[in-house]
Every structure is written in C-alpha cells, then in structure tokens.
Amino acid sequence: MERVHLPTTESAVVAIRDLAGEFGVRTTVTDDVGADQVSRRTSAALFTVFDPDGSLPHEAFVELAGSPCVSVRLSPEGDARITVDGVEFHDVPRDSVPGFLRSVYGGPARTEGRLFPPGQWLVVPLPVDETYRELIVDVGLTPWLARSAR
C-alpha cells in the first residue's frame, strides 16, 4: 500500500473520517481557520486571517472515540501530533496519518518492552516501510496497550 498524498488539512480530516467509518469509530473534529486562530501563529495580529503570503492556515483537532483513545492535531505546515492512549507521536507527516491510524486500529501496532534499557515502547509500523516508536512514560499500561504487548 502506498502513502496517500494529502495536500491540505481538510483532505487529511476527510481521510481520517473515512478510516474511522471503516473501523466503526466515532470522530469529533474541531477546526481553527485563520492566522490569528492556529496555535503556531501566536505572533499574528488580532483578526488577521491570512498569512503574509496570502494563504489561509487551517488547523484541525480530531478525536477518535473508543479504545484506544486517539487524537490527531493536524497543523497547517503538513505535520501532525498523534496521541494514542497517552503516548504522543510528534511530527508525523500528514500523508502518513491514515497509515498510522490503520496500523493502530488494524492490528500491527504493538507495545514492546525491554529489561535493559528498561522501558516499554509503542511501535506503530506503517505499510510503506516506515515505523514510529515512542517511549511509554506512564508506568501503568492502559488495557489496549497491555493487550497489544508482544
């Protein structure tokens, strides 16, 4: 399976909604549009809608209900922060978000633990030879994280 090209925040939101429908997961989307509304544009003047280059920045926050608890913050710069049961993955390319979520809901995502160095990691392999690993900071694993341990 190839990576899907998602040129806009809105196209990524549509892809997430389609994937959520496929897995029977409810979604809630919050959109922020305009330079004075998106989180990375804190220096924008009040009521400034467009960036200096004339573009209209769009940021979205998507919550996916159920187990695991997943949220996706899509930035106008083309990256995303995905949180799975409290484990945060920063700087995931927007084009990789559908594959990431498919791995979480479709099965290949797993937790791995080691004795040395000690720790548990959430490992999310994507279908295009790309893998994301993040340390699980919380000592107690959620039921979904514990169930996916290998």
Side-chain angles (χ1 to χ4, degrees):
M1 174 181 264
E2 290 183 25
R3 181 185 296 187
V4 178
H5 178 60
L6 302 169
T8 65
T9 299
E10 186 59 32
S11 62
V13 169
V14 169
I16 292 170
R17 282 184 170 145
D18 290 347
L19 193 76
E22 182 180 326
F23 287 99
V25 178
R26 284 186 306 112
T27 61
T28 304
V29 179
T30 305
D31 292 293
D32 292 319
V33 179
D36 64 339
Q37 299 295 313
V38 298
S39 63
R40 293 185 183 172
R41 306 288 203 290
T42 56
S43 63
L46 197 59
F47 306 115
T48 302
V49 177
F50 296 100
D51 277 342
D53 66 358
S55 64
L56 181 65
H58 176 198
E59 179 177 83
F61 181 73
V62 183
E63 292 179 286
L64 295 104
S67 179
C69 179
V70 177
S71 66
V72 181
R73 178 167 300 281
L74 297 157
S75 75
E77 287 80 17
D79 63 329
R81 183 181 73 215
I82 303 174
T83 305
V84 180
D85 272 355
V87 181
E88 288 189 4
F89 293 83
H90 297 274
D91 302 322
V92 176
R94 180 170 48 212
D95 293 348
S96 296
V97 171
F100 189 102
L101 295 176
R102 184 171 297 286
S103 179
V104 167
Y105 288 109
R110 64 190 179 279
T111 57
E112 293 179 352
R114 288 196 265 174
L115 294 175
F116 192 78
Q120 292 272 355
W121 284 264
L122 178 54
V123 180
V124 182
L126 273 59
V128 288
D129 296 332
E130 193 174 353
T131 301
Y132 291 91
R133 293 175 56 94
E134 280 298 327
L135 181 64
I136 301 171
V137 179
D138 195 5
V139 177
L141 297 179
T142 65
W144 184 84
L145 289 171
R147 183 175 55 240
S148 62
R150 293 188 185 146

